[in-house]
Amino acid sequence: MPESVLITGGAGFIGSALARRLATEGHRVTVLDSLVRQVHGDDPATTSPLLRSLDGYARVHVGSVTSTTDLTEALADSSVIVHLAAETGTGQSMYEVDRYVETNIGGTAKLLDLLVNTKHSVRRIVVASSRSVYGEGAYRTSDGRIVYPPYRDPADVAAGDFDVHMPGEGALELVPTPETAPLQPSSIYGITKQTQESLILTTAASIGIEAVSLRFQNVFGPGQSLKNPYTGILAIFSTLIRQGKSIDVFEDGLESRDFVYIDDAVDAAARACTAPGIGGSVVNIGSGASTTVLDVIDALFQAFGTTVPLVVSGRFRTGDIRHNLADTTRARDLLGFEARTLFADGIRRFVEWAQAEPAEFDDYDRSLAEMAARNLLK
């Protein structure tokens, strides 16, 4: 049955692709987005391909989730909400605390307040959470036990010991992190995502709305912002390569992430809008594969057919985790979802798209200077 879907943050990377997917499937799509400069440029009507990509697919409301008026107008007749609106960026969240909390937590609270206190047709909310809620995630000890280490000691990392440790344990082996792992975020961004999903799961259950939380891993692919210096190492590295500039590799380059291609992430989100019997569920959305930063750079070099100098600096950002690997069992069981795009194929498609985009990225050095000035980049 066709749904009337409101996507908050729907002009963003994931949201715009999801809007097109849902509209193609016959659903009626409304987008609420504030079109922030950091993602959409100074004049979104001309500088945001993501916004233009919604033409013919969605009704667009320009507004903020922090405004009750904007939310009320966008919410009319919606049966499903996909709540993607959020400030993103682990590093930036550590010094723009108020903005991240106001949007991610405050905006979610306003949305829920409306649902509790006004008449509506909403039957399901899908919220975009993040793997950042886990902190360092799951590891196996030498005798086979699964443990969840605390955030790395900054003194150890500053001394060049980048590995994850746990008091009283020897060497630890990375294993996939399940949804049952304890939540111990290491950044303001992670804290806001944990609070956001908790608010939605708790409130929705109390008023008879089905809620599903999708803990996205590192989503990448065509359409991601090449202007935003605070998120997405693929975007950052690809632009530096195109500009012929050297790449500063933090830590030792062996830190890793679970990269999931945009088409796969959208497939998971679309399934979460309609799959039966999943109310109250929390689901990891990832590839189930771990890729190091050095491997990312090598893949980009191969796809671009060129190289630039690398500097493995040993620098690190406060709030960063060492590794990331999702247990995707629940996604298969509840959503019938499995990532189908291999990392190398996704990189090739990303590079083909990026080469046709302007290489105008000029804020990266400033973003690093902002962090260094606050002793958050060491």
Side-chain angles (χ1 to χ4, degrees), residues 143-282:
D143 60 358
R145 290 173 294 114
I146 302 301
V147 295
Y148 303 94
Y151 179 58
R152 293 178 293 170
D153 187 336
D156 290 342
V157 180
D161 180 2
F162 303 115
D163 290 331
V164 173
H165 302 288
M166 193 163 187
E169 303 291 349
L172 300 176
E173 175 190 2
L174 177 70
V175 296
T177 299
E179 292 87 351
T180 53
L183 305 186
Q184 42 189 15
S186 59
S187 67
I188 298 300
Y189 172 70
I191 292 169
T192 67
K193 299 307 284 185
Q194 177 186 352
T195 304
Q196 190 179 56
E197 72 168 46
S198 295
L199 282 168
I200 286 178
L201 290 169
T202 300
T203 306
S206 72
I207 58 175
I209 295 177
E210 297 176 332
V212 183
S213 179
L214 303 181
R215 290 177 179 165
F216 286 105
Q217 312 302 300
N218 291 65
V219 183
F220 78 102
Q224 70 182 96
S225 177
L226 299 177
K227 304 175 186 293
N228 189 346
Y230 301 97
T231 61
I233 61 171
L234 284 168
I236 293 169
F237 290 166
S238 66
T239 301
L240 292 173
I241 291 169
R242 293 173 65 200
Q243 293 178 339
K245 297 180 179 179
S246 64
I247 296 175
D248 181 356
V249 179
F250 291 173
E251 301 190 17
D252 56 1
L254 298 180
E255 60 271 32
S256 64
R257 298 293 183 265
D258 184 330
F259 291 95
V260 58
Y261 189 65
I262 179 62
D263 291 356
D264 292 326
V266 165
D267 181 48
R271 290 169 182 261
C273 289
T274 58
I278 61 171
S281 299
V282 176

